[in-house]
Amino acid sequence: MKTDRGKHSARPAPSRELAELRARLAEAEETLRAIRGGEVDAVVVAGKQGPRVFTLEGAEHAYRVLIECMNEGALILAADGVMLYANQSFARMVKRPLEQVLGSSFHRVLSVTNQAVLRPLLKRTVKSGSKIQALLHAGDGSQMPAHISIRPLAKNGAKSATFGIVVTDMTEARRNEEMLRALTHRVVQAQEAERRLVALELHDHITQRLCAVLARWAALANKLPAHEKASRGEVMKLSEMLGQTVDEVQRIARNLRPTVLDELGLVPALRATCTEFADRTGVSLKLACKPLSARLPAEVELTLYRILQKALENVEKHARARHVMVQLTKQRDILQLTIKDDGIGFDPDQPPASRKKKRNFGLLRMRERATYVGGTLKVKSVRRAGTEIEVRIPLPPPARAKRSRSKAR
Ligand SMILES: Nc1ncnc2c1ncn2[C@@H]1O[C@H](COP(=O)(O)OP(=O)(O)O)[C@@H](O)[C@H]1O
Ligand SMILES: [Mg+2]
């Protein structure tokens, strides 16, 4: 190549070439970065037969098809919640055209409470990501329960963080859950009705008959001549055994359906259960509860009574506790029952199946029962430090209470 190196040339040719090469290198590096970052769909290369187009579809076609065809909503969010990308499924979920969805804020389809949960998650860039349950507000005013999985995406040279979001429609799952809950509620109600019937039978028939036998037996014993000492001793022993049987049958009937609960209300029933527990097991039990100003709905009373029964059963079976504290408090419209022991404790997060081979339903059923009456149940337990069961039940306004009772206890 001939070069003109005349004296009027301002820059020497090699440095111009170097600058050109540097610029081309920078351009090539930028192109490579864009290809790696997925910002390039095709590359145009100038050739002898004119420009040739190499699409990069092959590399990402499968991903695109997958994302576009999947049932879940897929989104890419900027840190401020703006939807940079959304698939058709998400547009269908929120019942808005895709063009309206793109560029708008994801927060707009969430309730204020859900927004408050999401915002900090879009600030954190924890690699493991996060999951939340939310209600999506669709364009037609309807709402859809959804499971939202959030994961920060690799920056790939982008200036600010972006997040990959997968939205799963939980309508069907929620409906099934509700049906299952309603069904188990019906089972519990049927079980309670059956228990009440068996308790009545035991009380009205078996106990009555046993008491009649006991009375006749005592009369017979009195008729025995005084010198028949051995026979009198045997008869007294038998009537004692009969008396114990009556007590046992009454205890079973009381456990099946405590008449004290129906007749006297929650506080006397809790007190009777606690006294019976302490007397029978020898574990010291302190009960702190003030009389309530009014009777509660029957189902709430029965729920709290059954939860206490089951919790004390667990203390007896598993805790090896020396002290138990039972507390019933009412703060505004929330009734709270706490059962706390100082026993060996356990790990409530560990799945029950791995704790033991058999399935444990006690705690699960206690929680379910609290849920039926709109309440919650928390289990706090630390190994070697004891266990605390906390039940909180919101009370309905007095006018809406299902059962009106004249006497307040
Ligand atoms: N108060 C407690 N103290 C120690 N461990 C407990 C207590 N309550 C429950 N647990 C543990 O939790 C498990 C599950 O309890 P639960 O669901 O009532 O089933 P179950 O009593 O039939 O084993 C128990 O097996 C026991 O290991
Ligand atoms: Mg149990």
Side-chain angles (χ1 to χ4, degrees), residues 225-284:
H227 62 268
E228 297 262 9
K229 270 196 180 158
S231 309
R232 276 183 82 100
E234 200 55 32
V235 166
M236 293 313 287
K237 219 177 218 166
L238 273 175
S239 65
E240 203 178 295
M241 281 169 70
L242 215 51
Q244 284 167 353
T245 311
V246 171
D247 288 349
E248 188 62 11
V249 171
Q250 276 179 333
R251 192 187 64 80
I252 294 171
R254 254 198 324 273
N255 273 346
L256 283 170
R257 181 71 196 194
T259 41
V260 63
L261 184 65
D262 290 330
E263 287 161 12
L264 300 178
L266 182 64
V267 173
L270 296 186
R271 195 161 282 140
T273 307
C274 289
T275 309
E276 192 272 333
F277 172 85
D279 290 348
R280 193 170 43 77
T281 60
V283 176
S284 112

Side-chain angles (χ1 to χ4, degrees), residues 10-166:
R11 270 188 297 153
S15 59
R16 195 169 58 232
E17 264 180 87
L18 204 62
E20 253 176 43
L21 279 172
R22 278 210 180 107
R24 285 171 68 181
L25 190 64
E27 197 181 323
E29 275 178 346
E30 173 61 17
T31 310
L32 264 176
R33 188 203 60 75
I35 291 171
R36 280 202 198 108
E39 294 162 33
V40 178
D41 289 325
V43 181
V44 182
V45 178
K48 278 181 190 157
Q49 281 92 33
R52 286 178 63 194
V53 180
F54 294 91
T55 62
L56 296 183
E57 197 187 48
E60 62 166 33
H61 180 71
Y63 296 115
R64 269 184 193 268
V65 170
L66 176 70
I67 299 288
E68 285 304 330
C69 295
M70 66 193 223
N71 289 328
E72 286 75 18
L75 304 170
I76 294 178
L77 289 198
D80 59 0
V82 168
M83 292 184 269
L84 304 173
Y85 167 82
N87 67 357
Q88 279 294 351
S89 293
F90 181 74
R92 275 195 297 276
M93 283 175 176
V94 291
K95 300 191 174 86
R96 287 177 203 275
L98 189 58
E99 343 38 292
Q100 250 183 41
V101 170
L102 293 172
S104 66
S105 171
F106 184 55
H107 296 302
R108 269 186 52 193
V109 300
L110 298 176
S111 68
V112 179
T113 329
N114 290 153
Q115 285 177 31
V117 177
L118 183 73
R119 272 184 221 281
L121 299 180
L122 295 185
K123 290 210 173 82
R124 273 196 281 148
T125 40
V126 250
K127 280 207 181 95
S128 56
S130 320
K131 290 166 186 166
I132 59 169
Q133 304 290 337
L135 268 184
L136 289 195
H137 296 255
D140 64 352
S142 62
Q143 291 184 337
M144 187 195 92
H147 175 94
I148 300 174
S149 171
I150 308 146
R151 217 185 160 98
L153 300 177
K155 273 195 176 177
N156 272 338
K159 279 186 193 108
S160 55
T162 53
F163 294 82
I165 306 264
V166 174

Side-chain angles (χ1 to χ4, degrees), residues 86-377:
N87 67 357
Q88 279 294 351
S89 293
F90 181 74
R92 275 195 297 276
M93 283 175 176
V94 291
K95 300 191 174 86
R96 287 177 203 275
L98 189 58
E99 343 38 292
Q100 250 183 41
V101 170
L102 293 172
S104 66
S105 171
F106 184 55
H107 296 302
R108 269 186 52 193
V109 300
L110 298 176
S111 68
V112 179
T113 329
N114 290 153
Q115 285 177 31
V117 177
L118 183 73
R119 272 184 221 281
L121 299 180
L122 295 185
K123 290 210 173 82
R124 273 196 281 148
T125 40
V126 250
K127 280 207 181 95
S128 56
S130 320
K131 290 166 186 166
I132 59 169
Q133 304 290 337
L135 268 184
L136 289 195
H137 296 255
D140 64 352
S142 62
Q143 291 184 337
M144 187 195 92
H147 175 94
I148 300 174
S149 171
I150 308 146
R151 217 185 160 98
L153 300 177
K155 273 195 176 177
N156 272 338
K159 279 186 193 108
S160 55
T162 53
F163 294 82
I165 306 264
V166 174
V167 183
T168 311
D169 181 354
M170 297 300 284
T171 313
E172 187 84 8
R174 210 43 75 75
R175 200 177 295 139
N176 290 343
E177 237 172 60
E178 272 161 24
M179 270 169 62
L180 197 65
R181 181 157 292 154
L183 197 71
T184 42
H185 191 185
R186 293 275 296 276
V187 171
V188 167
Q189 282 175 326
Q191 194 187 41
E192 286 294 347
E194 195 67 24
R195 281 179 173 179
R196 170 177 269 192
L197 215 68
V198 176
L200 275 177
E201 288 284 320
L202 281 178
H203 187 262
D204 290 355
H205 297 121
I206 312 291
T207 317
Q208 302 289 342
R209 274 167 190 256
L210 282 174
C211 286
V213 172
L214 197 61
R216 284 191 165 212
W217 196 256
L220 199 67
N222 284 337
K223 280 184 192 159
L224 278 176
H227 62 268
E228 297 262 9
K229 270 196 180 158
S231 309
R232 276 183 82 100
E234 200 55 32
V235 166
M236 293 313 287
K237 219 177 218 166
L238 273 175
S239 65
E240 203 178 295
M241 281 169 70
L242 215 51
Q244 284 167 353
T245 311
V246 171
D247 288 349
E248 188 62 11
V249 171
Q250 276 179 333
R251 192 187 64 80
I252 294 171
R254 254 198 324 273
N255 273 346
L256 283 170
R257 181 71 196 194
T259 41
V260 63
L261 184 65
D262 290 330
E263 287 161 12
L264 300 178
L266 182 64
V267 173
L270 296 186
R271 195 161 282 140
T273 307
C274 289
T275 309
E276 192 272 333
F277 172 85
D279 290 348
R280 193 170 43 77
T281 60
V283 176
S284 112
L285 189 149
K286 201 166 162 226
L287 172 69
C289 64
K290 289 191 190 123
L292 298 169
S293 55
R295 286 292 298 259
L296 307 168
E299 203 172 7
V300 171
E301 288 190 344
L302 190 59
T303 299
L304 288 169
Y305 176 80
R306 290 292 186 216
I307 290 176
L308 175 70
Q309 257 187 337
K310 284 280 156 200
L312 290 181
E313 200 179 288
N314 276 352
V315 174
E316 189 178 351
K317 256 168 69 179
H318 312 293
R320 287 185 240 153
R322 290 197 300 146
H323 303 280
V324 182
M325 172 81 195
V326 176
Q327 197 175 24
L328 182 77
T329 53
K330 186 168 170 266
Q331 275 174 352
R332 293 195 186 155
D333 294 330
I334 303 277
L335 200 62
Q336 181 170 317
L337 175 69
T338 315
I339 305 116
K340 193 173 174 185
D341 69 62
D342 62 352
I344 56 169
F346 68 106
D347 180 1
D349 295 328
Q350 208 179 338
S354 68
R355 278 192 224 121
K356 278 183 188 172
K357 283 270 160 7
K358 73 182 182 96
R359 290 184 177 176
N360 315 86
F361 291 118
L363 289 171
L364 199 72
R365 288 183 66 180
M366 281 154 75
R367 180 167 285 124
E368 282 292 299
R369 285 196 89 134
T371 317
Y372 301 149
V373 287
T376 54
L377 182 141

